[in-house]
Amino acid sequence: MKKCNALFRSGFFAVWLAAVLLWAAPATAQERQPQPGHRLLEVSGQGKVVLPAAHAVLTLGVEGRAVTAAQAQRQAATRAAAVVQYLKAQNAQNLFTSGVSLSPQFEHKPNGEAPVLKGYLATNTVSARFPVTAVGGVMDGAVNAGASTIQDVAFQAEEALVEKARLEALAKAVQDARVQGDAVLAALGLKAREIHSMEVSHHFPPFQPKIQGRLGDMALMASESAQSPVLGQEQTVMGHAHLKIAY
């Protein structure tokens, strides 16, 4: 947490970035031509801010397989209800249904023969948020409650810190681009005259959660009162800036 506090100890960067964005705003609507005698140098910069994960969004699925669509759907609904009941008992936050599907299952024949309908597959997925320290145990319990797939574990930082991190990443990206531009011009014996135009953006890089063990192993460990190891990760915010510097 000291690391996060250090990142946001000063709020000057938010004001500075807003002023720079307003300065470059006219170029967003229509690209203006450089003034006579001015030439343009294009540079790109990046900024990175890393936050510790506080929560994990766990996405679980259940399946139902049967000869008829109605039977498959009933199986999936019954199993999903049991998993949802378990998750609620674990104080799940932001619990919601994230996917429902029902599809026929065919056996494909060789030699161009028509496929044969074998039955139906119904799936139901739910997502919920838990503290990072609790998600391993919740995952094991959900398997015992009827979950047949663990589709995703997405780590999140505290919401109050994410927006500050986004602005910090953008400010770092702009500063990085400007430093590069100044270095190039200085090496050529030139000086920057003004920021002709600027584009900024941000994104949250995807990552693979550090989950150890297969679904069958998790079910076995859960039955033996062990807990699947889930290692909390950091959430990264990346800022990008592209400057056109007149010189």
Side-chain angles (χ1 to χ4, degrees):
M1 189 57 68
K2 291 182 178 179
K3 183 178 180 181
C4 294
N5 291 336
L7 288 174
F8 308 129
R9 189 174 295 122
S10 173
F12 82 95
F13 69 85
V15 178
W16 174 83
L17 179 59
V20 172
L21 292 177
L22 288 175
W23 180 24
T28 312
Q30 182 177 0
E31 182 68 23
R32 62 187 177 92
Q33 297 299 316
Q35 297 182 22
H38 287 190
R39 291 167 292 179
L40 297 180
L41 170 67
E42 296 190 31
V43 290
S44 297
Q46 290 189 342
K48 178 180 179 180
V49 177
V50 178
L51 301 172
H55 306 282
V57 178
L58 177 62
T59 300
L60 304 163
V62 299
E63 296 181 350
R65 296 177 183 270
V67 176
T68 68
Q71 290 173 336
Q73 185 65 19
R74 281 196 296 269
Q75 286 183 16
T78 300
R79 292 167 183 168
V83 173
V84 167
Q85 182 179 3
Y86 168 77
L87 295 178
K88 287 182 177 179
Q90 306 307 308
N91 300 317
Q93 299 177 348
N94 300 335
L95 177 62
F96 65 96
T97 298
S98 51
V100 176
S101 69
L102 176 65
S103 59
Q105 302 295 294
F106 293 94
E107 180 182 353
H108 294 278
K109 299 291 185 178
N111 303 323
E113 297 181 30
V116 178
L117 178 64
K118 302 297 292 183
Y120 292 84
L121 170 65
T123 65
N124 194 320
T125 59
V126 295
S127 299
R129 189 175 71 171
F130 297 92
V132 168
T133 54
V135 72
V138 170
M139 213 161 43
D140 295 333
V143 171
N144 280 340
S148 54
T149 61
I150 299 175
Q151 297 190 2
D152 189 31
V153 179
F155 295 98
Q156 298 178 339
E158 292 288 355
E159 294 180 4
L161 300 179
V162 173
E163 177 60 16
K164 293 179 180 179
R166 186 183 71 86
L167 294 176
E168 173 74 1
L170 291 176
K172 286 185 175 182
V174 172
Q175 291 170 342
D176 180 40
R178 186 59 191 267
V179 167
Q180 293 187 58
D182 288 343
V184 170
L185 293 175
L188 297 173
L190 302 171
K191 290 185 178 181
R193 295 176 182 266
E194 64 174 354
I195 302 297
H196 176 74
S197 64
M198 174 173 58
E199 296 179 1
V200 294
S201 62
H202 75 280
H203 79 285
F204 302 95
F207 53 82
Q208 295 296 324
K210 299 175 183 176
I211 305 177
Q212 299 179 356
R214 297 172 300 176
L215 186 59
D217 298 332
M218 293 175 185
L220 177 62
M221 287 190 294
S223 65
E224 297 175 349
S225 300
Q227 179 172 315
S228 296
V230 176
L231 308 180
Q233 295 195 2
E234 297 172 323
Q235 182 172 3
T236 300
V237 186
M238 293 295 301
H240 308 276
H242 183 77
L243 306 183
K244 291 184 180 181
I245 304 174
Y247 65 93

